[in-house]
Amino acid sequence: MPGGRRCPDCSSAALVEDSHYSQSQLVCSDCGCVVTEGFLTTTFADEGNLREVAYTRSTGENEQVSRSQQRGLRRVRDLCRVLQLPSTFEDTAVAYYQKAYRHPGIRAARLQKKEVLVGCCVLITCRQHNWPLTMGTLCTMIYADLDVFSGAYMQIVKLLGLDVPSLCLAELVKTYCSSFKLFQPTPCMPAKFVEDKERMLSRTLQLVELANDTWLVTGRHPLPVITAAAFLAWQSLHPSGRLACSLARFCQVANVDLPYPASARLQEMLAVLLRMAEQLVWLRILKLNKRSVVKHIEDLLQHRHTLIHKAFLDGTGEREAQARGLQPRMEEEVGGSSLGLPLGKRPAGPGILLPPCMLKPPKQPRLPPTVRTVTGDEDISDSEIEQYLRSPEEVEDFQRAQAAGLATKDAPNQP
Amino acid sequence: MEDTYLELYLDRCTAQDELPPPKSPLISLVGSYDVYLPNPSNPEMAFSSHLDVRESSGDFSSVDLSFLPDELSQENEGETVIGSVDKIDKTCKTPSPQRRSPSPMQQDVGLDLNGSGVPHSQAPLYLDNADSVQPSPEEPTSDPLASITPMKPMTPASECSGIVPQLQNIVSTVNLACKLDLKKIALLAKNAEYNPKRFAAVIMRIREPRTTALIFSSGKMVCTGAKSEEQSRLAARKYARVVQKLGFPARFLDFKIQNMVGSCDVRFPIRLEGLVLTHHQFSSYEPELFPGLIYRMVKPRIVLLIFVSGKVVLTGAKERSEIYEAFENIYPILKGFKKAAVSHSASHRI
């Protein structure tokens, strides 16, 4: 019972704190007059200083599910169903969305972000179950920009403190390759293009592993690598009928989008295969080039581990190569073997196994930076500062030019 | 040989625990450029390069900034040098901010080695005599140097990288403490651009040091683009002087470095997928979004962008020593992924 207050009607001191629904009230138990609502004050002066807890700062918001949250949860479930995810995924994704919604930053975010958040929750769920869903696919499904998506994704991962595993490449290969329309004969496709799914899958997987080992996958978007690998696998399974087919045509026939970097990845993989082919005696004689090496991919894949060891120096060998002057030597190595030039009876010296970005020559020569001894407290000469100031004549000229510019801008608007 | 080195190293650590930090001159590696320090295992290389650099040292004396009381430093507020040197006293594993001249790559551990009982000739580690604080070129036992990080027994010196991150960008703020008329500034200054519809500040640039400043009407200013703390401070002072000359009573209050960005190259490729597996609590690697791995180091609080080519970008530092410390922390981790052998990667799930 708060001290010092009396009912204004009956002046009784029997004031009781009672709640009308969830609103706290101070009621006189004698006459039933409501003295105050929502305040518990001791003196009149205090009343001015006390403030109720605003709804947005109370926990009331968390207990109720707002309409936009309901909409978001519905969209999460719909997205899971469209992607034909197992039902357990749905519950996990919904739980993530609810968890995210508890944070004030998300609750007050724009609708666009909330839409994207739906996709983020589904993606995190898929990643945790090793379900190969790429961000590109997800963004097309929720009609979102990849940059907006990436921002929201990074934020939500940090906010929820989650440890999201990386995309499982093996699963992605299986799912992506299964989506190729090459396994059933269709009238618009030559008969030689049809391929057995299992053979193509296993060979694509081996090629992707090879790319992973030779630094072609790290730091790059995974999908173009898989497209290039699938193309090579498909070509090598029946070279005579398929060598003439280009990568673009292959994607068209398979009813799959051609990702832009896929051709670059294809060239890189062919270069690696040619390098490996140099180590096999019977292939060295053949003087393979980028087209003919496809016929021998099966052999190369069979012995890929030993060939990579022989064809490339590993990490320890790298250091000697570096000390001896890396760039010019490597360039001739890469240039020589990829062009298939005969380099005498002996195989080309082992090249360096490095990511392609390290094999390219630097665009600008690396100049040693000039060391300037600056204390930060040097005197600043007046002349140096004055070079940045306009003289009065220049100011007038500038003002005149500005006025003239404005006039010409307004002129076409005049009737 | 390894044992005597280890003994010496541990002796030093225990000795250092007893000595109060300010007493020991702890100027270690110098040079704000990406320098590849010679490996201790190549003594001749180290020796010759050491001598080369030494000739240019001139009158440089191992300035022991830790001795300077704070009042003697020019301006306490902006002077991050002293602050970072104090930090170095404590951590003692980062190169000191000795930026005044390309000094010799000196590692002066600053302990009395006479009592250590390790003959110079035997130890693979070549140390300067602690008594001679001056790195005079005529020093007879001018041994090739090696890097030592005595304060942190967990990282033996053989793992010290010898690579120094180079600062690329410094962002600083200063308060000019007077209301500014941005239209007037844009009119009277040649190097200013002002487009109120696009951004509510004047963008001003000066040529030396090459920097850009955002000047707001409240009098606050942001200066970006400098390559060192002193350059940032000098540039900020020049901008303040320009504003003064334009007729405003500008002052120079609360100069503070807000962010420092550094970069370097470890010169070997890095298996980012492996790194994200072993350091998943700190790393974020999404090749679909960004080719680099984002490593959020807890101590010091620095964000590192690590790329497959071995280039590392460090950002989020308020002091130079944080960048050096962060790099020294990440280098052993990265070296663990250097052996990108096929057998190693074949065991990874792809």
Side-chain angles (χ1 to χ4, degrees), chain A residues 358-395:
Chain A
M358 286 179 87
L359 292 173
K360 287 185 223 155
K363 288 182 210 166
Q364 291 152 359
R366 267 213 216 162
L367 300 161
T370 52
V371 171
R372 243 181 273 123
T373 56
V374 174
T375 60
D377 295 305
E378 284 105 338
D379 280 332
I380 304 169
S381 64
D382 278 347
S383 57
E384 187 185 349
I385 300 298
E386 252 137 51
Q387 69 174 310
Y388 295 119
L389 304 179
R390 289 201 174 106
S391 63
E393 304 85 40
E394 285 175 338
V395 173

Side-chain angles (χ1 to χ4, degrees), chain A residues 58-298:
Chain A
S58 71
T59 53
E61 264 193 310
N62 279 339
E63 270 120 52
Q64 292 173 325
V65 178
S66 67
R67 225 173 298 163
S68 78
Q69 189 178 1
Q70 283 172 356
R71 192 167 35 229
L73 293 172
R74 241 177 297 139
R75 280 189 60 75
V76 169
R77 286 191 211 274
D78 289 344
L79 192 58
C80 288
R81 271 175 224 143
V82 166
L83 291 168
Q84 295 176 335
L85 302 176
S87 51
T88 47
F89 287 30
E90 217 172 290
D91 303 326
T92 321
V94 161
Y96 279 134
Y97 194 85
Q98 284 170 334
K99 215 166 144 191
Y101 221 84
R102 272 196 250 282
H103 291 263
I106 301 293
R107 221 172 13 235
R110 297 217 159 106
L111 269 182
Q112 188 194 34
K113 192 172 228 174
K114 287 180 181 156
E115 301 273 317
V116 162
L117 186 66
V118 165
C120 294
C121 294
V122 174
L123 181 71
I124 293 172
T125 313
C126 289
R127 283 280 188 94
Q128 289 181 333
H129 291 90
N130 276 345
W131 190 277
L133 180 64
T134 57
M135 291 188 189
T137 318
L138 193 57
C139 283
T140 46
M141 301 213 76
I142 61 176
Y143 305 108
D145 236 349
L146 190 61
D147 347 311
V148 178
F149 183 84
S150 73
Y153 176 74
M154 303 301 281
Q155 183 191 3
I156 202 68
V157 168
K158 203 170 165 192
L159 207 56
L160 298 179
L162 294 172
D163 208 348
V164 185
S166 14
L167 194 57
C168 182
L169 258 187
E171 295 291 326
L172 184 61
V173 168
K174 286 190 208 136
T175 317
Y176 185 54
C177 288
S178 308
S179 72
F180 287 12
K181 302 264 185 297
L182 290 169
F183 313 121
Q184 302 296 329
T186 56
C188 58
M189 185 166 66
K192 290 188 179 170
F193 280 19
V194 184
E195 187 50 70
D196 172 50
K197 186 166 161 183
E198 286 314 312
R199 286 178 71 203
M200 183 152 155
L201 263 181
S202 69
R203 191 162 286 194
T204 310
L205 206 54
Q206 288 178 340
L207 278 168
V208 171
E209 270 177 27
L210 175 67
N212 198 12
D213 292 340
T214 52
W215 292 106
L216 298 182
V217 171
T218 311
R220 270 93 170 268
H221 199 296
L223 210 66
V225 181
I226 302 176
T227 315
F231 175 61
L232 278 180
W234 175 80
Q235 268 194 331
S236 70
L237 285 168
H238 191 88
S240 58
R242 298 174 188 168
L243 262 182
C245 179
S246 70
L247 178 61
R249 175 118 199 273
F250 168 75
C251 291
Q252 203 185 16
V253 167
N255 200 17
V256 149
D257 284 330
L258 171 63
Y260 172 72
S263 14
R265 298 298 157 262
L266 181 64
Q267 298 306 313
E268 286 167 2
M269 285 180 69
L270 285 170
V272 164
L273 287 167
L274 279 169
R275 264 273 207 19
M276 286 163 63
E278 293 286 319
Q279 301 299 317
L280 282 179
V281 183
W282 67 92
L283 290 182
R284 211 181 306 142
I285 308 170
L286 292 175
K287 299 193 183 77
L288 297 169
N289 63 18
K290 281 191 185 151
R291 302 202 63 160
S292 46
V293 74
V294 176
K295 297 183 233 168
H296 306 279
I297 282 182
E298 188 169 351

Side-chain angles (χ1 to χ4, degrees), chain A residues 371-374, chain B residues 30-32 60 65 79-82 84-85 95-103 167 227-230 320 324:
Chain A
V371 171
R372 243 181 273 123
T373 56
V374 174
Chain B
V30 178
S32 53
F60 175 74
L65 293 177
E79 199 57 84
T80 52
V81 177
I82 300 294
S84 47
V85 170
S96 104
Q98 200 48 258
R99 300 173 282 290
R100 291 170 194 270
S101 60
S103 77
L167 287 183
K227 299 277 192 209
S228 78
E229 299 91 320
E230 297 85 11
R320 187 184 279 248
Y324 295 152

